[in-house]
Amino acid sequence: APFVPGVGEVDLIVEGVLVVELDGYGFHSDRATFRGDRRRDRSSLRVGMPTARFAFEDADPDRVLREITPICRALRQHPLDPGRTVPRATLALLAEARSAWTGPGRGRRAGVT
């Protein structure tokens, strides 16, 4: 599974700019998990990779692709800068995660379409 520094394993990293999480109710229905997911989203945002969450029932590939394509386009044009508060070692790991992205688009590296 793809890994984002400070966040952990994620479902997908798309085009090196967006984390996509597919949440089934069975694993995301209690308060602790709900809060943890929001903390992970904020951590991901702090390192410059926002998260798009989809309920498992909404995770049809055509819908996901249709919704994330304009997000990825905007992030490629105006990438989020993690700034000076992120440690250099974390930035290096993040660069590695971005280069090993999974998902649709130019330079596809995984079997996700």
Side-chain angles (χ1 to χ4, degrees):
F3 182 85
V4 175
V7 178
E9 289 185 358
V10 298
D11 292 330
L12 295 169
I13 298 173
V14 183
E15 297 192 13
V17 296
L18 179 68
V19 171
V20 174
E21 295 279 29
L22 310 173
D23 297 341
Y25 186 76
F27 293 105
H28 298 271
S29 60
D30 64 88
R31 290 303 296 171
T33 304
F34 182 86
R35 283 191 326 269
D37 284 344
R38 274 41 195 189
R39 281 192 292 272
R40 286 168 46 92
D41 291 350
R42 291 188 305 272
S43 294
S44 172
L45 192 54
R46 273 193 299 275
V47 296
M49 291 181 103
T51 300
R53 285 191 177 275
F54 291 86
F56 181 77
E57 296 81 8
D58 291 334
D60 131 45
D62 291 333
R63 178 187 193 138
V64 171
L65 185 59
R66 185 173 55 251
E67 290 190 29
I68 66 171
T69 297
I71 297 169
C72 289
R73 186 175 302 124
L75 289 169
R76 280 193 314 269
Q77 291 173 356
H78 305 285
L80 298 178
D81 181 5
R84 292 185 167 98
T85 61
V86 178
R88 191 178 309 259
T90 300
L91 291 174
L93 289 171
L94 182 60
E96 183 180 322
R98 283 192 163 136
S99 70
W101 61 266
T102 58
R106 269 181 323 167
R108 184 175 313 142
R109 297 181 186 205
V112 179
T113 57

